[in-house]
Amino acid sequence: MLRLRRPSRTLGAALLVAVAAGTLTATPAHAAEGEPIRTGNYVYDRAPNDGSSPDRGTTDLVPLATGALTDGAVGTSARWFGDGTSTWRDVNVVFDLQRDYPLRQIVLTSNAPNAYWGIRAVSVRVRSEADPGYTPVYSQQWYGTASPLPAGTQLNNTLTLDLADRAARFVIVRITRLHEYHHLPLNEVALVQGSGQPGADPAPPLTATELRAEIGKPVKQVPRPGFADEGNYYASVPPDDGTPDNAGGLTAFPYGKLFDRDRTGYAGWRGRADAPKAVTIVFDLLRDYPLDQIRFYSKAPNQYWGFDEMTVSYRPEASATYRIATRAARARTQLDYQLDIPMGNQTARFVRIAFSRVNQYLHIPVSEVEFAVGAGPVGQDPAPPLTVDGMREELTRDTRLVDAYGQYLYQGWPGKVTSDAQLRQEAQDEAERLAGVAPDTTRYDRYGGLKSLGYQGATGYFRLTKIDDRWWFVTPDGYPFFLKGVDSMSPEEWGYGTLYRNPDGTPRDVFDELPDPAVYPDAYAKTDRGPAVSFVKANLMRKYGSDFEPAWRDITYKRMVDWGFNAQSKWTRDPQIKMPYIDQVTAPADAIRVLWAIDPFDPQFAAKLAGQVEALDLKGRKHDRYLIGYFFDNERGWDNEVVAEVLRQGAALPAKRAFVQYLRDTYAGDLARVNQLLGTSAESFDALADVTIELARVPAADVTAFITRASVAYYSTIQRAIKKADPHHLFLGSALVPTWHSSLAWNVGGRDYLDAISLDVYTDSASYLREYEPYDKPVLNLEFSFNTYDRGMRAINAAARADSIAQRGAKYRSFVEAQAASPVFVGSGWFVYYDQAVSGRPGDGESYNFGLVNQQDQPYTEMIDIMRETHRTVELVHQQGAATGPAVNQ
């Protein structure tokens, strides 16, 4: 057994390390029990800059017979003085005993001169001559985990490691410091011979260079009883940090960073602009095991390391598909993350752990993975280990996700659908409950305008105006209106669907059962992203009958009235539900693109827009009094990345010519000054349009001014095209994300040509409005939502994540009221009516808990009850500029 010994003080935690058939432990001791070996040499990978001769200042061989570490005297030492200039943390000392010896003990002594010295951690590994790799025998924190050392900390420290006569020729001792100012002291390393004979015919002694090369030899962990410690793993993307994992390819468990028993280190996937947002590791345990538990550890050095979500799935050899063991979310404040995943003796040979990061600049650390074996038979005749190609194929295998109703398989909850009869009963119960629901015509006009706020004059169409220095919509009948909308309020929205075939045409094996296409033909469609099935439509047919639309429309309209929503605000709508709505003008397919953005300087842009507006028949909608207005395109603006791409292009790009014209105008035609500014040597401004320009050379003020000029060109052209076809309805901008694919300069630059600025803001803070209030232009938030990580679905980001369905409602109230308090804010659209499919929407696989209603047409009542109360007072909040006061009820 291994024992840790130290005078009058025990180590903070016992280490359990498997060695051969036994388990090593640590207990206090005072001195070596036997005679230290004096034959051999040792070498440092980092020369001591303090301490005793002959060790001080050398990286040459030091004989054990004369070395400061092996002379039997604790008064001599090797020491490393931290001067703040060297960022290294570890020192390795490699011992060559010149033949195999049975080792009884290794005794380490470290005496700290004062509180600024200490060893944060120590590890020891050994190998015999015949073994190609090392076996770790100890890895643990020691007494220098704080600097200066806490008052009362023992300065004289000894570790005694009992090796039970393990054969070894080479020993590597690694000591670690806290930081570059921390000082390391090592006084003595006693390698005590045990019983048995040393090797009789050793290989020649190694040179200093050869001995230091031992540090890079693989470290092989000894399998532990009760754990599946043999196998291989493969990462979809090779890690940047952590050896040997960062070499890519297959990594054997015994040699891998994820199985080295060191939970303080990690294999790390660095974030960067081109980094994937998802990383998956697949593990081959080499045979079927009944797993009791999977333990996962991830230690993050700081808040810039972590991940947002992880999914663990598994399959036995006999299964073609994976099943989910768990899904989990991680807060970025959780630096020491541990997840224990109960497996209940489920059989698995293959395990996948998938990580996702919303921000691709976030670094992903994985420290340790453990597979604890449970009760039951272990596979006796496994297939051969998978090759790299086989492991890559595992990454693409399907995971079984949903039942016949599209519900997550691996969780139960109150109301989970178990039969068609349940759905029909729920339809009957809700129809009875909402039978008396109708618009309150004493309180609201037919469009949802609040009569108690006063008549403002009717124009027959929606308009925007200021009342007491606060912006409002005004309905066609002349009453103030605050938008409380819902996006995609239609089962015809195929974003609610999911692909049922893979890109190669093979079936997606993620469903327990698909709706019968003969019974539910309308639940299937060929979309532009592949063949899709909609569990929403199948469940509506089960609930209301094959001709479900009239009953669905009736109940949905009554829901909206009961819940206090007043508009279909964005995306697919049901035109037979009579509510105010917002429509979209899509961009011409032949518009010139710069990255994701449109080039508004294209001389043909106006003509292309006119053709698009005609094709969309805006003239046919110009007399629709329920139409509030239009937004153009979606979430595509200009930022510095777009400008950088423009500057890389030549004169063939209209935007590049426009940028050169901007420089000519701004710098009064002074070409010499422009060349000096940009580091160019163009002979004319026309020639400059064909020169690649570095964005870094352009003053920030000029970048902002050019984006503003582009915004004006863009929105003025769009406004003219829309108003020519439909002069009655509002132009509401482009539904931009303030911090993604756009910029403030773009969002407000063309504001004179907008009736309102439309944004999509997925957050729980209304502080974004402070940037827009100085421009005194109405602002809409046409997409936002709060989600909970539950029922197999995900949350879109940390700021929009809630802990429960009820908290989704609480966050809604807080956010909606905070937005409404702003004088420029005129309303919002909740994204969306139904949840996305657990098995992912077509195209990008999004599976977010967005809905007011789940895909089984069951409302989230705990959330909606809070929304209903919010909607009764939100106009008053906007009127008063604060979330206080009685309900508006007149």
Side-chain angles (χ1 to χ4, degrees):
M1 302 295 287
L2 178 148
R3 300 193 305 277
L4 164 72
R5 297 177 177 177
R6 184 188 315 152
S8 70
R9 184 172 179 265
T10 59
L11 192 65
L15 172 74
L16 300 180
V17 184
V19 175
T23 300
L24 303 180
T25 59
T27 58
H30 290 278
E33 299 176 356
E35 192 65 30
I37 299 167
R38 301 294 187 188
T39 302
N41 302 306
Y42 62 89
V43 70
Y44 300 101
D45 68 338
R46 204 171 302 283
N49 58 8
D50 194 18
S52 308
S53 297
D55 298 46
R56 181 172 181 170
T58 186
T59 53
D60 292 333
L61 289 178
V62 179
L64 267 67
T66 60
L69 293 187
T70 51
D71 59 4
V74 296
T76 57
S77 64
R79 302 198 298 194
W80 292 262
F81 192 83
D83 59 7
T85 62
S86 302
T87 59
W88 56 266
R89 296 293 177 89
D90 301 317
V91 172
N92 290 280
V93 191
V94 189
F95 296 85
D96 178 4
L97 306 183
Q98 299 185 356
R99 67 184 67 210
D100 282 343
Y101 277 93
L103 292 180
R104 176 183 298 172
Q105 292 178 333
I106 300 175
V107 183
L108 309 178
T109 303
S110 176
N111 296 332
N114 56 53
Y116 296 95
W117 293 75
I119 294 177
R120 182 184 71 85
V122 62
S123 67
V124 179
R125 59 188 189 268
V126 300
R127 82 170 179 92
S128 65
E129 282 197 277
D131 198 330
Y134 279 80
T135 298
V137 295
Y138 188 79
S139 180
Q140 187 58 279
Q141 291 184 347
W142 203 359
Y143 69 95
T145 55
S147 180
L149 296 171
T153 301
Q154 178 69 41
L155 298 182
N156 297 331
N157 298 278
T158 300
L159 284 176
T160 299
L161 316 182
D162 286 351
L163 270 67
D165 294 337
R166 183 178 187 86
R169 170 177 171 174
F170 300 99
V171 177
I172 300 178
V173 176
R174 173 178 292 174
I175 55 176
T176 304
R177 63 179 180 173
L178 274 173
H179 47 66
E180 58 267 34
Y181 290 96
H182 201 203
H183 314 316
L184 287 170
L186 190 57
N187 296 73
E188 192 74 11
V189 179
L191 307 171
V192 181
Q193 182 176 343
S195 60
Q197 295 298 314
D201 189 18
L206 299 191
T207 66
T209 300
E210 291 170 333
L211 206 50
R212 275 190 293 274
E214 291 288 306
I215 298 168
K217 284 188 180 293
V219 178
K220 181 178 182 180
Q221 302 291 338
V222 177
R224 298 163 293 180
F227 291 88
D229 280 341
E230 296 286 348
N232 302 306
Y233 59 96
Y234 176 80
S236 59
V237 180
D240 305 281
D241 305 287
T243 55
D245 299 42
N246 58 4
L250 287 180
T251 303
F253 287 11
Y255 295 102
K257 184 64 183 170
L258 305 190
F259 292 83
D260 65 358
R261 300 7 168 207
D262 178 12
R263 299 172 191 168
T264 63
Y266 51 80
W269 286 261
R270 298 266 175 166
R272 53 184 177 271
D274 59 347
K277 290 191 174 180
V279 172
T280 301
I281 309 171
V282 59
F283 301 84
D284 179 0
L285 308 183
L286 303 183
R287 65 184 68 231
D288 281 341
Y289 281 96
L291 293 182
D292 172 62
Q293 188 169 234
I294 299 173
R295 299 187 187 98
F296 174 85
Y297 304 90
S298 175
K299 183 174 179 64
N302 53 55
Q303 63 182 342
Y304 301 106
W305 289 79
F307 49 85
D308 295 301
E309 299 169 0
M310 66 179 285
T311 300
V312 181
S313 56
Y314 66 95
R315 77 171 182 92
E317 283 194 270
S319 175
T321 59
Y322 281 79
R323 295 183 68 83
I324 289 178
T326 194
R327 282 176 163 175
R330 176 182 185 174
R332 294 184 186 174
T333 54
Q334 291 179 278
L335 299 185
D336 289 312
Y337 182 80
Q338 176 179 337
L339 184 64
D340 294 341
I341 306 155
M343 293 296 292
N345 293 319
Q346 292 289 338
T347 299
R349 170 174 171 174
F350 301 99
V351 176
R352 293 187 307 205
I353 303 181
F355 311 92
S356 62
R357 50 187 168 192
V358 175
N359 181 349
Q360 64 201 76
Y361 289 94
L362 183 69
H363 313 312
I364 298 175
V366 180
S367 300
E368 191 79 6
V369 180
E370 295 177 345
F371 299 105
V373 179
V378 175
Q380 297 300 310
D381 189 20
L386 292 191
T387 63
V388 167
D389 287 342
M391 297 288 252
R392 287 181 184 140
E393 190 174 318
E394 290 299 306
L395 294 171
T396 66
R397 282 184 184 265
D398 289 324
T399 301
R400 191 65 61 89
L401 289 172
V402 296
D403 66 11
Y405 297 95
Q407 300 169 117
Y408 189 52
L409 284 168
Y410 307 101
Q411 185 182 348
W413 55 85
K416 189 173 185 179
V417 176
T418 58
S419 68
D420 292 6
Q422 177 186 338
L423 286 173
R424 290 192 293 271
Q425 185 63 50
E426 288 175 357
Q428 180 180 330
D429 292 346
E430 189 174 17
E432 292 174 358
R433 188 168 59 253
L434 298 179
V437 169
D440 183 353
T441 56
T442 62
R443 185 180 185 195
Y444 298 106
D445 71 14
R446 56 182 162 166
Y447 302 101
L450 191 62
K451 293 179 179 179
S452 64
L453 293 178
Y455 180 69
Q456 304 297 319
T459 62
Y461 299 97
F462 276 91
R463 61 189 174 92
L464 283 155
T465 192
K466 290 181 81 171
I467 305 172
D468 296 330
D469 292 323
R470 307 185 76 79
W471 281 102
W472 292 85
F473 283 106
V474 175
T475 67
D477 284 351
Y479 291 98
F481 174 94
F482 190 84
L483 183 74
K484 298 172 281 191
V486 179
D487 298 337
S488 297
M489 212 176 75
S490 169
E492 298 303 320
E493 169 56 63
W494 280 94
Y496 296 139
T498 189
L499 297 180
Y500 63 89
R501 292 195 178 276
N502 293 311
D504 63 1
T506 58
R508 273 187 84 201
D509 195 3
V510 302
F511 314 101
D512 261 4
E513 181 183 339
L514 282 168
D516 186 340
V519 179
Y520 308 107
D522 291 345
Y524 289 84
K526 291 183 179 179
T527 71
D528 57 354
R529 298 180 179 182
V533 60
S534 171
F535 281 94
V536 168
K537 296 189 81 171
N539 288 328
L540 291 177
M541 285 184 265
R542 290 166 172 143
K543 188 171 185 176
Y544 301 110
S546 57
D547 184 20
F548 69 90
E549 288 92 346
W552 175 85
R553 288 190 183 105
D554 179 65
I555 206 74
T556 299
Y557 178 70
K558 288 178 177 177
R559 284 173 177 174
M560 293 296 100
V561 173
D562 181 48
W563 300 347
F565 289 101
N566 62 12
Q568 299 189 68
S569 52
K570 197 179 177 188
W571 303 125
T572 309
R573 68 184 181 95
D574 190 299
Q576 295 188 50
I577 294 180
K578 207 67 172 173
M579 296 179 74
Y581 69 96
I582 293 171
D583 215 338
Q584 182 189 29
V585 176
T586 54
D590 55 352
I592 295 175
R593 297 281 182 180
V594 182
L595 300 179
W596 57 82
I598 287 175
D599 183 348
F601 300 106
D602 174 12
Q604 299 302 312
F605 183 46
K608 293 171 182 177
L609 268 176
Q612 181 75 347
V613 165
E614 183 177 355
L616 293 172
D617 190 26
L618 266 63
K619 287 183 180 179
R621 281 172 266 183
K622 67 180 179 179
H623 297 302
D624 187 346
R625 296 179 185 272
Y626 281 87
L627 173 59
I628 297 171
Y630 305 96
F631 71 98
F632 179 80
D633 207 3
N634 186 66
E635 296 184 352
R636 297 176 188 270
W638 276 46
D639 61 6
N640 283 19
E641 287 186 60
V642 173
V643 176
E645 181 62 24
V646 168
L647 301 188
R648 284 190 284 266
Q649 301 299 314
L653 181 71
K656 181 63 175 296
R657 300 195 301 271
F659 178 74
V660 171
Q661 184 61 48
Y662 164 80
L663 293 176
R664 189 198 300 259
D665 296 342
T666 302
Y667 292 94
D670 190 341
L671 180 62
R673 185 182 174 196
V674 170
N675 274 327
Q676 182 181 23
L677 184 73
L678 302 179
T680 54
S681 55
E683 295 182 356
S684 66
F685 279 103
D686 288 343
L688 183 60
D690 262 325
V691 175
T692 298
I693 299 169
E694 294 180 18
L695 179 67
R697 298 298 299 262
V698 182
D702 287 327
V703 174
T704 298
F706 181 58
I707 291 175
T708 300
R709 180 177 284 200
S711 180
V712 168
Y714 184 74
Y715 286 119
S716 61
T717 306
I718 297 166
Q719 185 207 46
R720 284 193 297 272
I722 290 175
K723 293 298 184 183
K724 183 177 180 181
D726 180 356
H728 301 311
H729 294 108
L730 300 169
F731 177 32
L732 304 173
S734 296
L736 299 160
V737 180
T739 57
W740 180 76
H741 284 183
S742 194
S743 59
L744 182 63
W746 177 266
N747 298 353
V748 303
R751 64 189 179 278
D752 290 346
Y753 302 94
L754 305 176
D755 294 300
I757 297 169
S758 292
L759 304 172
D760 292 348
V761 188
Y762 289 90
T763 184
D764 57 2
S765 171
S767 61
Y768 74 92
L769 286 165
R770 294 174 193 153
E771 281 193 312
Y772 295 89
E773 288 172 352
Y775 299 99
D776 196 27
K777 178 68 69 171
V779 175
L780 287 161
N781 183 1
L782 291 184
E783 280 191 32
F784 77 104
S785 192
F786 297 105
N787 338 106
T788 185
Y789 196 88
D790 195 19
R791 304 184 186 185
M793 290 171 289
R794 302 163 54 213
I796 189 170
N797 60 39
R801 184 182 299 152
D803 295 333
S804 65
I805 293 168
Q807 195 188 43
R808 291 178 72 198
K811 280 181 168 280
Y812 177 88
R813 179 167 201 157
S814 176
F815 185 58
V816 165
E817 290 183 346
Q819 290 181 119
S822 171
V824 300
F825 195 73
V826 291
S828 58
W830 172 272
F831 188 89
V832 279
Y833 187 64
Y834 285 110
D835 283 331
Q836 292 176 326
V838 173
S839 46
R841 74 174 180 180
D844 59 10
E846 278 190 6
S847 58
Y848 293 126
N849 166 228
F850 280 137
L852 301 171
V853 182
N854 64 23
Q855 291 220 332
Q856 296 70 49
D857 198 50
Q858 297 170 311
Y860 288 113
T861 55
E862 302 100 312
M863 174 180 70
I864 288 163
D865 287 346
I866 301 172
M867 290 176 159
R868 182 189 295 110
E869 293 306 310
T870 304
H871 293 152
R872 288 187 61 82
T873 59
V874 70
E875 286 94 349
L876 183 64
V877 172
H878 186 54
Q879 182 190 43
Q880 295 186 349
T884 58
V888 179
N889 54 19
Q890 298 175 352

